[in-house]
């Protein structure tokens, strides 16, 4: 389907028309909508030939997701925006129902850290605010069959360009993305570790070495990844159970997806960093690499209290930092959400925003309600007592979902 800038409905006009985005330029904007990811592969790969901001912008990652989740064509939308016959932006969207409401959103949900439209950011920046507003309006206006476009976790800056998504709907600041960006391990070590920190890392390493033979390796896609990934998810499940957190990987049936993604046939550059103690895996990090950027999607460590005394998770990450920057990685993305490891290693912080476009009057109401919900959620996360209460409620809902029927009372020790 191809429509012009002045679209009313996709079948009402196919003649491209000129638009003056700002006094210096007249733009011809044409939008194409496809429901098969293979139809946009060439454009997608061209737009991501350089850097990407997230695995959610990777063609191979999204193609694997669509295959694994068996997303029908009726629920796939790939919106390509062209300016003067040159593709400038692509929105890969999943048409789905959330609580019965039809929306367009990113395919993998919370599984890729952050997201952004696939785009030529230099061209996008050159359009200026008016040109970008016209482009985004044309692209989202080409969608039908939904009330809202909901684009979660988009960075405020991409490719050295600030604010190129500001005109894409209404926004709400939600969280922060953390990255380590260094030219070498020497630079990272000098900037991030003082004398006290080096001593602390060495002491943790000595405790782990005292338990047995410690080894570290990187396993690439197509290698012997299966056992390491299986161990990683067992360790994650134990961690989720101990923390009372929903195990999304198990409950949503996602383990096979990550196993398949690590196979050579997926096309994704998956790299596992594995720490072993006497041959047994005690920590794993699951990463995807694109160009000189590495994105950590999942990490795990042993739940054995004796082994945790040697901080295997921190020791694994230390070895990652000591190796990847000297292998050509320049940006190591650790995702959103503040943790000790990000405080220790990340020197770049990027604000993330939710973007909303109401496509219908009902959609406008949904947008207002969801933004209110997100603000409330942020307040809950900042309040330990409210956060604990919500977690208990989620555990109760999960028990009902798994067992059916009447809710089972929580254990007497639960608070």
């Amino acid at each position: 389907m191809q429509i012009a800038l002045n679209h009313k409905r996709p079948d009402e006009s196919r003649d491209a028309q000129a638009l003056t985005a700002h006094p210096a330029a007249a733009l011809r904007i044409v939008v194409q909508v496809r429901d098969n990811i293979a139809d946009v592969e060439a454009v997608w790969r061209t737009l991501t030939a350089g850097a990407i901001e997230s695995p959610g912008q990777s063609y191979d990652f999204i193609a694997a997701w669509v295959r694994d989740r068996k997303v029908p064509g009726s629920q796939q939308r790939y919106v390509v925006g062209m300016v003067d016959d040159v593709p400038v932006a692509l929105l890969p969207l999943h048409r789905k129902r959330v609580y019965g409401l039809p929306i367009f959103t990113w395919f993998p949900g919370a599984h890729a850290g952050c997201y952004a439209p696939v785009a030529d950011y230099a061209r996008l920046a050159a359009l200026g605010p008016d040109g970008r507003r016209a482009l985004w309006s044309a692209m989202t206006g080409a969608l039908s069959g939904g009330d809202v476009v909901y684009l979660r976790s988009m960075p405020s800056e991409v490719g050295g360009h600030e604010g190129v998504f500001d005109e894409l709907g209404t926004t709400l600041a939600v969280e922060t993305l953390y990255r380590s960006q260094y030219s070498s391990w020497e630079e990272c070590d000098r900037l991030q570790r003082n004398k006290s920190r080096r001593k602390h890392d060495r002491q943790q390493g000595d405790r782990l070495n005292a338990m047995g033979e410690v080894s570290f390796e990187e396993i690439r896609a197509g290698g012997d990844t299966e056992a390491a990934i299986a161990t990683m998810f067992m360790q994650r499940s134990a961690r989720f159970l101990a923390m009372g957190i929903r195990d999304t990987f198990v409950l949503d049936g996602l383990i096979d997806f990550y196993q398949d993604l690590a196979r050579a046939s997926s096309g994704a550059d998956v790299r596992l960093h594995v720490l072993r103690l006497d041959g047994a895996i005690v920590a794993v990090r699951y990463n995807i690499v694109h160009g000189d950027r590495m994105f950590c999607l999942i990490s795990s460590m042993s739940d054995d209290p004796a082994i945790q005394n040697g901080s295997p998770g921190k020791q694994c990450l230390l070895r990652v930092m000591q190796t990847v920057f000297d292998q050509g990685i320049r940006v190591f993305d650790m995702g959103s959400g503040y943790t000790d490891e990000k405080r220790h290693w990340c020197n770049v912080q990027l604000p993330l925003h939710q973007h909303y476009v109401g496509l219908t009057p009902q959609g406008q109401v949904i947008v207002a309600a969801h933004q209110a919900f997100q603000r409330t959620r942020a307040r809950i996360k900042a309040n330990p007592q409210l956060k604990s209460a919500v977690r208990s409620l989620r555990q109760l809902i999960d028990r009902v979902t798994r067992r059916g029927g009447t809710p089972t009372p929580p254990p007497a020790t639960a608070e």
Side-chain angles (χ1 to χ4, degrees):
M1 173 169 45
Q2 177 171 305
I3 68 172
L5 173 66
N6 65 334
H7 56 87
K8 296 178 182 179
R9 295 283 296 174
D11 56 351
E12 290 180 358
S13 175
R14 295 179 182 274
D15 297 324
Q17 296 189 4
L19 168 77
T20 300
H22 51 79
L27 305 178
R28 180 177 179 270
I29 298 178
V30 173
V31 176
Q32 296 178 343
V33 182
R34 299 287 185 260
D35 60 10
N36 186 330
I37 192 170
D39 292 343
V40 297
E41 179 177 0
V43 169
W44 196 323
R45 292 196 185 279
T46 297
L47 291 173
T48 56
I52 63 174
E53 299 300 320
S54 161
Q57 291 181 303
S58 162
Y59 176 86
D60 296 307
F61 185 87
I62 300 301
W65 184 275
V66 169
R67 286 195 304 270
D68 181 82
R69 303 285 91 185
K70 297 179 173 59
V71 182
S74 61
Q75 296 179 11
Q76 299 178 50
R77 294 291 187 277
Y78 305 97
V79 187
V80 179
M82 296 181 290
V83 178
D84 297 334
D85 299 322
V86 178
V88 173
L90 185 156
L91 287 171
L93 300 174
H94 187 181
R95 178 179 175 270
K96 61 193 298 187
R97 287 188 174 271
V98 179
Y99 299 112
L101 303 172
I103 69 169
F104 295 97
T105 190
W106 308 123
F107 283 95
H111 289 275
C114 80
Y115 299 87
V118 178
D120 181 331
Y121 296 121
R123 287 182 180 272
L124 197 58
L127 291 178
D130 291 341
R132 291 193 295 270
R133 186 176 294 108
L135 177 64
W136 300 132
S137 178
M139 292 176 68
T140 57
L143 294 164
S144 61
D147 290 322
V148 175
V149 180
Y150 171 50
L151 307 175
R152 61 175 291 150
S153 302
M154 287 174 51
S156 58
E157 182 269 328
V158 289
H161 302 286
E162 185 76 27
V164 291
F165 305 129
D166 287 355
E167 298 77 24
L168 179 50
T170 60
T171 66
L172 179 68
V174 286
E175 50 195 355
T176 302
L177 181 69
Y178 294 88
R179 289 173 172 169
S180 295
Q181 188 167 329
Y182 305 103
S183 61
S184 64
W185 160 245
E186 187 278 331
E187 181 187 35
C188 174
D189 183 40
R190 174 169 50 83
L191 295 177
Q192 292 301 122
R193 296 206 306 168
N194 56 25
K195 183 178 180 180
S196 174
R197 175 76 188 285
R198 292 189 183 96
K199 178 180 178 181
H200 183 69
D201 289 342
R202 185 170 59 254
Q203 288 173 337
Q204 288 181 335
D206 289 344
R207 285 197 295 269
L208 192 63
N209 287 327
M211 299 177 194
E213 182 181 353
V214 178
S215 62
F216 174 77
E217 65 176 323
E218 178 183 88
I219 308 175
R220 299 204 175 192
D224 186 15
T225 60
E226 188 169 346
I229 293 173
T231 299
M232 177 185 72
F233 281 118
M234 285 190 291
Q235 292 173 348
R236 288 302 301 173
S237 291
R239 178 69 170 165
F240 286 141
L241 181 62
M243 296 179 66
I245 296 175
R246 182 180 187 274
D247 190 342
T248 184
F249 300 112
V250 172
L251 296 177
D252 295 343
L254 286 165
I255 294 177
D256 286 345
F257 165 74
Y258 286 101
Q259 286 282 15
D260 290 343
L261 192 68
R263 296 188 170 93
S265 58
S266 79
D269 187 356
V270 172
R271 303 185 192 183
L272 304 180
H273 290 117
V274 180
L275 188 71
R276 300 177 189 270
L277 179 64
D278 288 334
I281 296 172
V282 293
V284 183
R285 300 186 73 91
Y286 188 115
N287 314 283
I288 289 182
V289 172
H290 183 99
D292 63 357
R293 296 189 173 194
M294 183 168 73
F295 305 88
C296 183
L297 296 183
I298 312 167
S299 63
S300 74
M301 66 177 180
S302 170
D303 65 334
D304 185 334
I307 295 176
Q308 285 186 349
N309 188 49
S311 302
K314 292 180 179 179
Q315 285 297 303
C316 182
L317 181 55
L318 173 62
R319 287 161 172 78
V320 171
M321 305 301 281
Q322 288 172 330
T323 57
V324 298
F325 295 110
D326 290 337
Q327 293 175 346
I329 297 298
R330 293 295 171 262
V331 176
F332 181 20
D333 187 304
M334 296 193 194
S336 60
Y338 189 69
T339 62
D340 274 348
E341 68 178 30
K342 294 168 188 176
R343 176 173 61 87
H344 289 158
W345 294 111
C346 295
N347 61 337
V348 175
Q349 300 180 17
L350 292 174
L352 296 178
H353 296 81
Q354 318 283 47
H355 288 243
Y356 303 83
V357 180
L359 301 176
T360 65
Q362 177 175 298
Q364 298 287 350
V365 175
I366 295 170
V367 167
H370 195 268
Q371 288 179 329
F373 164 75
Q374 289 287 347
R375 293 187 185 97
T376 301
R377 182 171 177 264
R379 287 194 292 270
I380 290 173
K381 290 176 71 175
N383 185 309
Q385 290 180 325
L386 287 175
K387 186 176 180 180
S388 177
V390 170
R391 181 174 295 172
S392 296
L393 178 61
R394 285 178 175 170
Q395 292 172 341
L396 178 62
I397 292 172
D398 281 343
R399 285 195 294 273
V400 173
T401 302
R402 289 195 297 269
R403 300 178 184 179
T406 304
T408 301
T413 56
E415 296 182 358

